[in-house]
Amino acid sequence: VLFHFPNVLKTEFNEKYSGLDWRESEADLRAWREGRTGFPIVDAGMRQLRATGFMHNRLRMIVAMFLTKDLRVYWMSGESHFMQHLTDGEIANNNGGWQWSAGTGADAAPYFRIQNPWTQGKRFDPAGEYIRKFVPELRDVPPEKLHAPPPDGRALVSDYEPPMVDHAEARKRTLAMFQAAR
């Protein structure tokens, strides 16, 4: 794709989605980069990236969809961050992965595919071992609480952030953003 369409480095492959109403929030982007979103699986992935320069592909999808579809932050911000930190970063693969996750690329995840970080954590880290390795402040939290939004919207433990968004509400806003572009 990059060879035939080099413009993907500067804009969306699917031109229909150029100019989407992405949010500009340096605070949200910083919290995501630092693994301080209040979503355990997202935070574990982002902290692993900072600590090791690596992240499993499943986590790359989870954190990318969280940034683009829960926070609605422009995918190029995440793409750039990954290229600065991944030891295995490769521009064509990175760009394609980010556009796939954002729903703007070639053979992209449909815009309405919005992974739920709570259920993704439960499915791929049911015992919470991965989360606890990279988010040690959650070491004493039972797995069932790691994989569900706190009922009161508060932090899981006192030294951890509360979820920065309500996933269900964020999903609705993202669907509306894409519908407006269609």
Side-chain angles (χ1 to χ4, degrees):
V1 170
L2 180 58
F3 179 81
H4 291 287
F5 304 97
N7 62 310
V8 297
L9 294 178
K10 296 181 179 163
T11 190
E12 289 71 20
F13 177 83
N14 188 334
E15 294 174 0
K16 168 175 38 179
Y17 297 127
S18 290
L20 285 171
D21 188 24
W22 298 105
R23 293 176 56 252
E24 290 186 34
S25 173
E26 188 56 40
D28 286 358
L29 183 59
R30 185 175 35 260
W32 174 82
R33 285 177 179 151
E34 295 173 1
R36 296 182 303 100
T37 67
F39 286 77
I41 195 72
V42 172
D43 293 343
M46 295 308 295
R47 291 181 190 190
Q48 179 188 19
L49 177 62
R50 287 178 59 158
T52 70
F54 181 78
M55 184 191 309
H56 185 278
N57 188 57
R58 170 57 56 175
L59 268 295
R60 293 178 196 207
M61 288 187 287
I62 293 169
V63 303
M65 277 202 189
F66 182 82
L67 182 68
T68 60
K69 294 186 173 174
D70 281 74
L71 301 181
R72 288 190 7 252
V73 171
Y74 193 41
W75 61 269
M76 281 190 174
S77 298
E79 177 196 40
S80 172
H81 183 74
F82 269 31
M83 284 306 294
Q84 291 170 15
H85 293 279
L86 286 171
T87 57
D88 64 347
E90 191 279 322
I91 191 66
N93 188 31
N94 191 49
N95 179 273
W98 273 93
Q99 290 221 45
W100 184 90
S101 294
T104 62
D107 300 321
Y111 71 88
F112 52 82
R113 176 182 282 166
I114 301 174
Q115 292 178 345
N116 182 325
W118 301 110
T119 58
Q120 289 289 303
K122 183 177 183 178
R123 182 172 178 197
F124 294 102
D125 187 26
E129 294 171 11
Y130 173 78
I131 290 169
R132 286 189 194 88
K133 178 177 181 176
F134 290 100
V135 188
E137 59 266 42
L138 300 178
R139 67 187 161 277
D140 297 326
V141 176
E144 62 274 7
K145 290 191 176 184
L146 291 174
H147 305 308
D152 56 7
R154 294 169 57 200
L156 292 169
V157 293
S158 63
D159 58 345
Y160 186 65
E161 293 74 16
M164 56 191 304
V165 294
D166 175 309
H167 172 71
E169 291 300 316
R171 184 179 192 283
K172 289 177 190 174
R173 287 189 296 273
T174 297
L175 289 174
M177 177 180 79
F178 275 90
Q179 284 291 353
R182 294 176 61 76

